[in-house]
Amino acid sequence: MSDKKTWFVTGASSGLGLSLVKQLLAEGQNVVATTRNKKGLEKVIGDVSHFLPLEMNLSDESSVNSALNDALSRFGAIDVVVNNAGFGQTGTLEELDDEEVRKCFDVNVFGMLNVIRHVMPHLRNQKSGHIINISSMAGIQGRIPGWGVYCAAKFAVAGLSEALYEEVKPFGIKVTLVYPGHMRTGFLSKGSLMLPSNPVSDYVLIRKNEEEATEQMNGMQIGDPEKAATKLIKITHIEKPPLHYFLGEDVYDAARKKIQSLGDALDTWKEDSLSIGF
């Protein structure tokens, strides 16, 4: 890589985040990696001069602000922000209580907003930067029974990223919204995937889907996080990086089906849609 940048990566202790951190460090990039377990991350990465691991609570604005200030004190700038931290939550909309729903949004949505809110003054001041927000296949299609709240959170990530793209364009800041498909990471493992605390027995199909996800699909996902990490690095070297970026054959197919579904609805109900004007 010809230019050295400072990357700020959340959710860096496993999966796509860890793959990205390792590749960046191998290429000599400055990396600030945030996690809930700094010692575990230090053990995996080792002692690297251009590496700054930090413990950060995404739900705590003071913790986020402190981590960003530490990053700036160490490296003097932040060039690329990767909002990767998140976790999965299964359960029907009826089953999940208010605490479970809010926790899902606190990490997947509001935590991301905390990072964006506190890094933007720096990026505006330097009039450059690239914010990469990691959504999901669940952020392009919601017809996944038992994943409604997670889909809602990832749809929110998509919506805020599109708005952010337009808001920061005048400052020379780029935004990319990434939709990974099923990646062979620990996402479906205990600790990353939360099950409903008060399941309703009538939802037999949902329980079957959860079992298939945790016991059969886990470890068999078709997406390679190493290849995905390489693609994320690639788009930071493009003059006009994409706003929407799909990673995986499964999410590519899902997006095509969603587009077809929207097109069918527009065509079928066109007369109604165009009939309500004054």
Side-chain angles (χ1 to χ4, degrees), residues 8 10 32 34 54-72 78 81 83 106 110-120:
F8 187 93
T10 71
V32 182
T34 74
L54 297 172
E55 286 192 4
M56 185 180 77
N57 180 358
L58 276 171
S59 300
D60 182 345
E61 284 201 72
S62 63
S63 177
V64 172
N65 194 42
S66 177
L68 288 165
N69 285 334
D70 287 346
L72 292 170
I78 296 173
V81 178
N83 285 308
D106 277 344
F110 298 123
M112 179 180 292
L113 281 170
N114 285 339
V115 174
I116 292 169
R117 186 180 298 117
H118 287 282
V119 79
M120 271 305 303

Side-chain angles (χ1 to χ4, degrees), residues 235-248:
I235 62 172
T236 65
H237 295 281
I238 299 173
E239 184 178 353
K240 294 182 179 180
L243 168 58
H244 297 281
Y245 195 52
F246 299 90
L247 291 177

Side-chain angles (χ1 to χ4, degrees), residues 62-235:
S62 63
S63 177
V64 172
N65 194 42
S66 177
L68 288 165
N69 285 334
D70 287 346
L72 292 170
S73 296
R74 174 71 173 272
F75 296 116
I78 296 173
D79 302 298
V80 183
V81 178
V82 182
N83 285 308
N84 171 68
F87 72 93
Q89 174 70 63
T90 69
T92 67
L93 298 178
E94 176 187 355
E95 292 172 313
L96 296 178
D97 61 29
D98 185 72
E99 182 179 354
E100 289 171 309
V101 173
R102 289 181 184 275
K103 183 178 180 181
C104 182
F105 273 77
D106 277 344
V107 175
N108 290 302
V109 182
F110 298 123
M112 179 180 292
L113 281 170
N114 285 339
V115 174
I116 292 169
R117 186 180 298 117
H118 287 282
V119 79
M120 271 305 303
H122 168 71
L123 299 183
R124 276 193 294 107
N125 183 61
Q126 70 183 16
K127 291 190 167 39
S128 66
H130 193 167
I131 298 173
I132 299 174
N133 293 334
I134 307 298
S135 182
S136 165
M137 185 159 65
I140 193 68
Q141 64 166 355
R143 297 175 68 173
I144 313 174
W147 289 82
V149 166
Y150 182 71
C151 288
K154 290 303 186 178
F155 266 68
V157 168
L160 71 87
S161 297
E162 289 189 356
L164 183 66
Y165 176 89
E166 298 295 341
E167 292 171 355
V168 304
K169 189 188 300 183
F171 309 114
I173 301 167
K174 303 166 184 176
V175 175
T176 297
L177 171 61
V178 181
Y179 303 88
H182 291 107
M183 308 288 287
R184 195 167 300 183
T185 67
F187 178 76
L188 296 177
S189 302
K190 186 177 180 181
S192 292
L193 180 65
M194 305 300 293
L195 303 178
S197 58
N198 297 298
V200 176
S201 60
D202 285 349
Y203 288 109
V204 178
L205 179 60
I206 303 303
R207 299 290 86 79
K208 181 180 179 182
N209 290 343
E210 290 171 349
E211 182 180 342
E212 288 178 352
T214 57
E215 297 183 10
Q216 298 179 31
M217 186 182 294
N218 189 23
M220 300 298 292
Q221 299 96 321
I222 65 172
D224 183 345
E226 294 294 329
K227 292 179 180 178
T230 300
K231 298 299 183 184
L232 293 184
I233 296 171
K234 170 189 172 182
I235 62 172

